[in-house]
Amino acid sequence: MIAALIVPKTRDLGDGFQVRRALPAVEKRAVGPFVFFDQMGPVRLAAGKGLDVRPHPHIGLATITYLFSGEILHRDSLGTVQPILPGEVNWMTAGRGIVHSERTPPALRAAGPAVLEGGLRLIAGTLHGARSPVPTFSPIFYAVAELAAGASVTVPAEHEERAAYVAEGEVEVGSRRFPAGQLLVFKSGKDLLVKASLASRVLLLGGEPLGERHMWWNFVSSRKER
């Protein structure tokens, strides 16, 4: 059932704020249209401290930010200033190119974070007959499942490529257990059951493969010369 098991590499952005990058990896370059996949935090920042992802460019890439808790302020070179809140979707499409930053907003930097609770939520694409209102450019699914111990979620075979990222807790697939901080890439062709051994938060993702893409830093293109 498991085609690849990926343990993300950890990078420190400063002030103890860590990012875990699961994709791309040697074991799997992409899952469906997901060519990058990062987990930010979790971390409780002291008063006066905050996240500062400074201005940087992208081309040929749609970035999606989904928060479990806290708040991030998005700014970009189109003049957009948009708070990102838990349970909301921040989707930025960089065609010819865009520059953006993501920071803890001043009010939250001084005060502290918020918390979101919930069950299975479809962030983008289609899953279990439901469709997210977020516009997409290819067949895709991205969902978050918050599971009590003993609860389970089915990952249907409707999408060619599928994976599950264990953000918190521990899950079982078949007879194997997987703790937090691992990306499970599934084989195609059959429905799969992901069961929570402990209270868990799991991200489900995948879709139709994009085909060959050239990637360098934050730039993605189907043409190497671009």
Side-chain angles (χ1 to χ4, degrees):
M1 290 183 284
I2 307 294
L5 178 63
I6 299 171
V7 178
K9 295 180 179 179
T10 301
R11 301 177 182 179
D12 196 319
L13 299 184
D15 294 324
F17 196 91
Q18 296 183 335
V19 171
R20 297 170 182 84
R21 171 151 292 182
L23 293 174
V26 173
E27 298 88 346
K28 186 73 172 174
R29 296 291 296 173
V31 177
F34 289 85
V35 295
F36 295 108
F37 191 83
D38 296 337
Q39 179 187 2
M40 301 185 293
V43 64
R44 184 169 292 276
L45 299 166
K49 300 288 186 178
L51 166 68
D52 287 299
V53 180
R54 294 171 177 83
H56 59 281
H58 292 278
I59 69 165
L61 182 70
T63 63
I64 183 169
T65 304
Y66 184 85
L67 295 184
F68 301 142
S69 63
E71 182 179 338
I72 293 176
L73 185 65
H74 164 101
R75 292 179 182 269
D76 62 45
S77 53
L78 297 179
T80 308
V81 180
Q82 178 65 54
I84 308 172
L85 300 174
E88 297 183 348
V89 176
N90 178 266
W91 183 294
M92 183 187 74
T93 302
R96 294 175 59 188
I98 197 168
V99 173
H100 77 135
S101 66
E102 293 178 300
R103 304 176 186 269
T104 301
L108 187 62
R109 190 182 296 256
V115 177
L116 174 73
E117 300 293 341
L120 179 64
R121 176 174 293 193
L122 181 59
I123 301 169
T126 60
L127 189 68
H128 291 300
R131 178 179 293 276
S132 166
V134 175
T136 60
F137 300 96
S138 66
I140 183 177
F141 75 99
Y142 188 31
V144 57
E146 305 219 11
L147 304 173
S152 60
V153 61
T154 299
V155 185
E158 61 186 279
H159 293 281
E160 182 176 349
E161 295 194 347
R162 304 165 297 165
Y165 181 76
V166 187
E168 299 175 13
E170 181 184 80
V171 303
E172 301 173 25
V173 179
S175 59
R176 299 175 63 184
R177 290 193 174 193
F178 304 92
Q182 295 189 349
L183 180 70
L184 318 179
V185 182
F186 301 127
K187 296 178 180 178
S188 60
K190 62 182 294 185
D191 292 356
L192 291 167
L193 191 69
V194 177
K195 182 180 178 180
S197 310
L198 311 171
S200 301
R201 179 180 273 144
V202 184
L203 291 159
L204 309 175
L205 61 136
E208 182 179 292
L210 281 179
E212 184 179 5
R213 289 294 187 274
H214 300 279
M215 293 189 290
W216 180 77
W217 192 41
N218 296 321
F219 305 148
V220 180
S221 179
S222 57
R223 294 182 290 113
K224 187 174 182 178
E225 64 274 15
R226 183 166 183 253

